[in-house]
């Protein structure tokens, strides 16, 4: 099979490789659509010690089972492989599983024609949901998990909140679309890239350049930092209203000095969120299938053999797409 290998910092190579043997309890999936994630870009730069070359990256995908118990079924997959018996797994917080491994990290990823994966990671797709949309399940579930977690920390209903979303990449945009679906009317999205702002506006959300216009201080009940860099954390802490909540979803850097004094004095709930539970993924499949997140025309589809160019374009900010999806 053909697969896109990460072979060293900023080097991707399309290689012919052997299909992995099928282990008991696993299925082989023919990948039909697979998204490039920010964490793949991070690894590509050589910045992720957990992802060592040579490795097939990628963990957001949809396809068809070609070997195993669910042969013939269309599926998306949970890239987190969890143990099912630790305390976290038993209480439904599988994203925190103490023994988890991950597709595209500790085992070969989805930038390939086929992939083997444990059966319990597979989620069957409704006929009406196309593979490209289904490949958004993983990032959309990350957004949904963050929105649901923040919602529980708010004093008043989310639909009444004034909300700031920082970052118009896939997760930021999906957070915005989920918030709109949940009835949030007062919603603004900040991004410094004009191409991305245009994409966000085409998706029907209000976008602005935070370099041009700093968000008003103390004025948002809820802030989502979908970038996770020192300046965006500062922006979030300044913009959040006393008594409000910040959801930190981005992982760009760990620099700067978080204003913990402001967090305390404004009584801010500063929350992190990591990935999703299996039930978040299932809820997201339904959300995507119901089309309540819009027409998803901000996705750009390319062929797997153009994967290296796609990475380069994403890093240079040359594409307006919030998500690039590769088709093997
Ligand atoms: Zn991802
Ligand atoms: Zn576990």
């Amino acid at each position: 099979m053909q697969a896109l290998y990460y072979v060293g910092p900023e080097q991707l190579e399309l290689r012919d490789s052997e299909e992995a043997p099928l282990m008991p309890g696993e299925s082989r999936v023919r990948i039909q659509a697979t998204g490039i994630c920010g964490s793949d870009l991070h690894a590509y730069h050589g910045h992720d010690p957990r992802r060592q070359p040579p490795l097939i990256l990628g963990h957001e995908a949809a396809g068809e089972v070609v070997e195993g118990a669910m042969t013939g079924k269309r599926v998306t997959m949970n890239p987190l492989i969890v143990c099912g018996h630790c305390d976290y797994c038993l209480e439904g917080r599988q994203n925190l599983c103490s023994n988890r491994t991950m597709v595209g990290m500790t085992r070969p990823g989805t930038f390939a024609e086929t992939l083997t994966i444990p059966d319990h990671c597979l989620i069957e797709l409704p006929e009406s949901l196309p593979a490209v949309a289904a490949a958004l399940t993983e990032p959309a579930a990350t957004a949904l998990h963050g929105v649901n977690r923040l919602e529980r920390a708010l004093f008043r209903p989310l639909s009444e909140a004034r909300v700031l979303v920082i970052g118009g990449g896939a997760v930021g945009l999906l957070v915005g679309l989920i918030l709109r679906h949940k009835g949030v009317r007062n919603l603004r999205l900040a991004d410094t890239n004009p191409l991305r702002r245009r994409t966000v506006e085409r998706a029907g959300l209000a976008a602005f350049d935070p370099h041009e216009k700093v968000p008003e201080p103390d004025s948002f009940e809820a802030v989502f930092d979908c970038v996770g860099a020192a300046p965006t954390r500062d922006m979030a802490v300044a913009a959040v209203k006393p008594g409000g909540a910040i959801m930190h979803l981005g992982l760009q850097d760990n620099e700067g000095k978080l204003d913990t004094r402001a967090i305390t004095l404004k009584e801010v709930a500063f929350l992190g969120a990591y990935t999703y539970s299996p039930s978040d993924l299932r809820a997201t499949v339904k959300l995507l299938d119901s089309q309540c997140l819009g027409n998803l025309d901000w996705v750009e589809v390319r062929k797997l053999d153009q994967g290296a160019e796609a990475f380069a374009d994403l890093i240079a900010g040359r594409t307006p797409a919030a998500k690039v999806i590769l088709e093997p």
Side-chain angles (χ1 to χ4, degrees):
M1 65 161 184
Q2 283 207 316
L4 191 66
Y5 275 82
Y6 161 57
V7 290
E10 274 140 59
Q11 291 172 57
L12 292 171
E13 230 175 75
L14 198 69
R15 288 187 183 171
D16 263 316
S17 72
E18 290 283 303
E19 283 189 333
L22 203 63
M23 299 298 173
E26 286 189 352
S27 286
R28 193 182 313 281
V29 178
R30 186 169 59 81
I31 303 293
Q32 292 168 328
T34 172
I36 302 175
C37 176
S39 63
D40 296 317
L41 299 177
H42 196 68
Y44 171 79
H45 286 302
H47 293 166
D48 186 349
R50 301 169 304 172
R51 289 173 165 96
Q52 288 297 331
L55 175 70
I56 306 172
L57 296 170
H59 54 269
E60 310 174 354
E64 191 185 327
V65 180
V66 289
E67 205 181 334
M70 286 171 71
T71 298
K73 302 278 190 212
R74 298 176 63 246
V75 293
T76 184
M77 58 199 75
N78 184 354
L80 297 179
I81 299 166
V82 301
C83 75
H85 52 72
C86 72
D87 286 346
Y88 289 119
C89 281
L90 292 176
E91 63 194 17
R93 304 172 82 193
Q94 291 89 339
N95 57 324
L96 303 177
C97 171
S98 323
N99 309 304
R100 67 179 187 268
T101 58
M102 192 178 172
V103 167
M105 188 192 287
T106 54
R107 54 190 284 154
T110 56
F111 297 155
E113 286 178 298
T114 67
L115 170 96
T116 59
I117 188 161
D119 294 335
H120 65 81
C121 296
L122 299 176
I123 301 167
E124 198 178 336
L125 296 174
E127 266 317 305
S128 44
L129 185 62
V132 167
L136 294 174
T137 304
E138 196 265 1
T142 300
L144 182 66
H145 183 72
V147 169
N148 287 343
R149 218 167 118 62
L150 176 131
E151 193 170 14
R152 292 194 285 274
L154 291 180
F155 196 69
R156 302 275 313 163
L158 178 64
S159 59
E160 292 175 16
R162 190 169 182 214
V163 186
L164 172 65
V165 178
I166 306 169
V171 171
L173 179 53
L174 284 160
V175 163
L177 295 173
I178 290 169
L179 290 169
R180 185 177 65 183
H181 167 65
K182 280 177 170 276
V184 175
R185 293 274 158 266
N186 206 331
L187 170 67
R188 299 180 68 214
L189 191 147
D191 200 297
T192 51
N193 180 333
L195 289 176
R196 281 212 171 150
R197 284 203 300 278
R198 217 172 310 146
T199 304
V200 168
E201 277 165 356
R202 270 215 335 265
L205 302 174
F208 70 102
D209 181 356
H211 284 167
E212 239 163 52
K213 193 175 177 303
V214 177
E216 292 147 70
D218 295 348
S219 55
F220 296 89
E221 281 89 359
V223 180
F224 289 84
D225 183 351
C226 302
V227 179
T232 58
R233 276 186 291 277
D234 288 346
M235 191 189 298
V237 174
V240 72
K241 200 170 166 174
I246 296 171
M247 172 50 67
H248 193 263
L249 279 172
L251 278 171
Q252 195 167 96
D253 68 36
N254 198 12
E255 308 297 317
K257 215 171 110 227
L258 190 63
D259 189 348
T260 49
R261 198 177 155 76
I263 290 174
T264 303
L265 294 176
K266 291 210 270 181
E267 194 171 290
V268 171
F270 190 96
L271 304 166
Y274 174 68
T275 66
Y276 32 72
S277 66
S279 43
D280 290 325
L281 289 162
R282 283 165 200 275
T284 303
V285 167
K286 287 188 189 138
L287 212 54
L288 288 165
D289 188 44
S290 69
Q291 296 181 7
C292 54
L293 302 185
N295 62 11
L296 311 177
D297 66 357
W298 42 270
V299 169
E300 189 182 314
V301 179
R302 301 194 190 185
K303 291 286 166 205
L304 182 67
D305 59 15
Q306 297 158 357
E309 286 159 66
F311 267 68
D313 286 349
L314 281 165
I315 283 156
R318 278 194 294 263
T319 167
K323 175 64 73 181
V324 173
I325 285 184
L326 302 175
E327 287 179 335

